[in-house]
Amino acid sequence: MRPQAAGSIPHIALSEARRIALCAQGLDRPRPNRRITTADIRRTINRLGLLQLDYVNVLVPAHYQVLFARLGAYDRSLLDKLVYKNREFTEQWAHEASIVPMELWPLLRHRREAHRIRPHGFDRFLNEYAHYVAGVLTEIEARGARTAEDFPDPDGISPDVAGSWYGTVARAVLEAHFARGFLAVADRRSNLARLYDLPERVISQDHFTRFIPREDAERELLDRAGRAYGIATAADLADYYRMPPKDCRARLDELVEEGRLLRVRVENWRDVAYLHIEAKGARSATAATLLSPFDPLIWFRPRIERLFNFHYRIEIYTPEAQRKWGYYVLPFLLHERIVARVDLKADRANRRLLVRAAHIEPGADPGKVVPSLHGELRSWADWLNLESIVVERRGALSLALLRYKPS
């Protein structure tokens, strides 16, 4: 791609932009019908740039769902091995807490150095109890990787951090060290607790010692976001790695000048969009898959409204009486449209996949949606080792699912 001439901004139809986006995300075609290997998982994460971590286990943790949407059934231990044994990937704050390729460690250095301590006000504790905070690092340096449970509570204060998901002071201290790059995640215990170690013991030496100036790192992150999205606005690209939009403007101009991005106008989009040099189109998109609430295709809600005319909010934290769609709702992508949303739960004790609700989107044809959705539900049930699918009568699509009999 040559640098863009001033005043030359091509126009792209929304349908074409949608296919470009699906292709960039690996959601333009059916999943492979073969055994999924470590190489497939590696390639998919590198294509996406990261997997957002979320361990809500109503169905299966969200980062596993993102891979299933693109690859189909796979052995989840392969992902764990890539991250915590092979150490080709690592955990970092990127788009929230995420699994990222190891080479992102130096690209995120400036973010770690400027990290705002969570929860708000906890930096006061770090300063007041500096001896305890430093002792955590000293203990790990001397004895190796540790979890929060391995540390005693600080003397004289409550061990709990009120109003925070961190729970305990020990965990909050470890998380603060991790966020600032003083610790890295070496492994996960069977109870999913993070095992923290010094970063030089986790991050490969070439990535650990490499220094990348902030502006170069920001430009590289935006280029990776552009490749993962295919076509996107400045706000979309900034959100991918949670970069302040004001920091992106100059870097985007530089990427346009380098020919990595092309400014375009997309039908019905208010803002200018950026088309990545490696983006590919497709005459059609033929995937059929349920999407994790934290899938990169849909995690930035303004983007999916522009791409699919689909308004989506996860309602886990909404009181039950106020929920419109359900507790853990997955959108259903069929070809080039999001046609339904399904509230799912894995009842592991009874080996059932519970469809708590199923809702059809306006304009979608239930006769075309139901066979594909039923097949997708069967695929998820098989992957999760659940024997039956139980559909509850909630939502306009639920009755059609109940009546459907596969041929």
Side-chain angles (χ1 to χ4, degrees):
M1 185 188 294
R2 295 179 180 178
Q4 188 167 17
S8 173
I9 301 184
H11 287 248
I12 291 180
L14 179 58
S15 57
E16 182 181 357
R18 193 181 297 128
R19 290 191 295 272
I20 290 170
L22 291 170
C23 190
Q25 284 280 306
L27 290 168
D28 59 314
R29 64 191 65 188
R31 297 185 286 244
N33 185 23
R34 55 176 173 79
R35 185 178 68 87
I36 299 304
T37 67
T38 297
D40 295 313
I41 295 172
R42 178 190 299 115
R43 184 167 51 251
T44 302
I45 304 174
N46 283 327
R47 178 178 198 162
L48 299 176
L50 77 168
L51 294 176
Q52 182 179 344
L53 286 163
D54 188 86
Y55 277 96
V56 172
N57 204 23
V58 176
L59 185 61
V60 65
H63 44 290
Y64 296 117
Q65 296 177 36
V66 172
L67 293 174
F68 181 84
R70 291 153 178 82
L71 299 173
Y74 70 98
D75 182 348
R76 298 196 294 277
S77 70
L78 295 178
L79 173 60
D80 300 334
K81 182 178 179 182
L82 274 174
V83 179
Y84 306 111
K85 304 304 179 189
N86 299 3
R87 294 195 171 155
E88 297 182 35
F89 301 89
T90 190
E91 292 190 29
Q92 268 290 277
W93 284 98
H95 183 97
E96 299 299 323
S98 304
I99 291 170
V100 300
M102 193 66 77
E103 61 263 26
L104 257 66
W105 179 268
L107 291 173
L108 296 169
R109 183 186 305 274
H110 67 283
R111 296 268 293 277
R112 293 191 294 272
E113 291 173 349
H115 183 79
R116 297 171 64 181
I117 297 300
R118 305 182 187 187
H120 178 70
F122 191 67
D123 51 341
R124 291 194 296 272
F125 172 89
L126 300 180
N127 292 328
E128 186 175 351
Y129 291 86
H131 180 72
Y132 176 85
V133 173
V136 167
L137 292 179
T138 301
E139 175 75 3
I140 290 175
E141 181 178 12
R143 301 186 60 190
R146 290 288 181 271
T147 69
E149 295 175 351
D150 297 322
F151 290 93
D153 299 328
D155 293 332
I157 66 168
S158 170
D160 299 323
V161 182
S164 169
W165 64 268
Y166 293 124
T168 66
V169 166
R171 184 179 179 191
V173 169
L174 287 163
E175 285 292 324
H177 283 320
F178 165 66
R180 295 188 294 184
F182 302 148
L183 292 175
V185 176
D187 204 349
R188 290 267 183 172
R189 289 265 173 88
S190 58
N191 64 356
L192 304 180
R194 278 174 164 167
L195 195 64
Y196 304 85
D197 204 346
L198 300 182
E200 56 265 38
R201 296 174 182 164
V202 176
I203 309 302
S204 58
Q205 188 67 15
D206 55 335
H207 295 310
F208 179 72
T209 58
R210 186 183 178 200
F211 175 78
I212 301 175
R214 175 173 177 164
E215 291 183 357
D216 293 344
E218 290 174 340
R219 188 164 50 249
E220 175 64 20
L221 289 171
L222 286 169
D223 185 72
R224 288 171 179 257
R227 186 165 59 243
Y229 265 160
I231 189 168
T233 67
D236 299 338
L237 296 172
D239 179 77
Y240 208 84
Y241 288 103
R242 291 291 165 87
M243 300 169 63
K246 63 181 178 59
D247 294 347
C248 298
R249 299 187 188 105
R251 305 292 82 79
L252 290 173
D253 290 343
E254 291 162 3
L255 288 168
V256 170
E257 183 63 26
E258 293 171 15
R260 297 294 295 170
L261 296 176
L262 176 71
R263 291 189 184 93
V264 297
R265 286 284 183 185
V266 176
E267 177 187 1
N268 295 333
W269 288 17
R270 183 187 64 186
D271 296 328
V272 168
Y274 295 85
L275 178 68
H276 196 271
I277 187 175
E278 297 177 24
K280 298 178 181 178
R283 292 184 177 180
S284 63
T286 55
T289 185
L290 288 160
L291 298 169
S292 160
F294 304 103
D295 193 289
L297 181 70
I298 64 170
W299 64 26
F300 191 49
R301 309 312 189 201
R303 175 177 168 80
I304 60 168
E305 290 183 28
R306 276 184 272 111
L307 269 175
F308 298 102
N309 191 29
F310 181 76
H311 183 271
Y312 176 61
R313 300 292 185 273
I314 192 165
E315 297 179 313
I316 288 176
Y317 304 110
T318 302
E320 184 174 2
Q322 299 175 27
R323 291 178 198 141
K324 182 176 181 180
W325 307 109
Y327 182 76
Y328 198 79
V329 174
L330 279 68
F332 181 50
L333 173 70
L334 181 61
H335 302 170
E336 298 176 24
R337 294 187 58 196
I338 295 176
V339 296
R341 53 186 96 202
V342 188
D343 185 16
L344 292 180
K345 177 180 174 61
D347 176 7
R348 296 174 183 84
N350 297 299
R351 298 186 65 185
R352 303 182 302 170
L353 179 62
L354 303 181
V355 181
R356 311 301 302 270
H359 307 274
I360 192 79
E361 286 298 295
D365 181 354
K368 295 180 179 178
V369 171
V370 166
S372 295
L373 178 56
H374 185 276
E376 177 71 350
L377 292 169
R378 184 69 264 168
S379 295
W380 279 76
D382 290 345
W383 179 50
L384 298 176
N385 196 30
L386 304 174
E387 291 181 345
S388 62
I389 299 169
V390 177
V391 180
E392 300 178 14
R393 294 190 177 214
R394 180 168 176 243
L397 197 61
S398 62
L399 189 57
L401 272 174
L402 281 167
R403 290 173 174 169
Y404 178 71
K405 303 296 181 183
S407 56

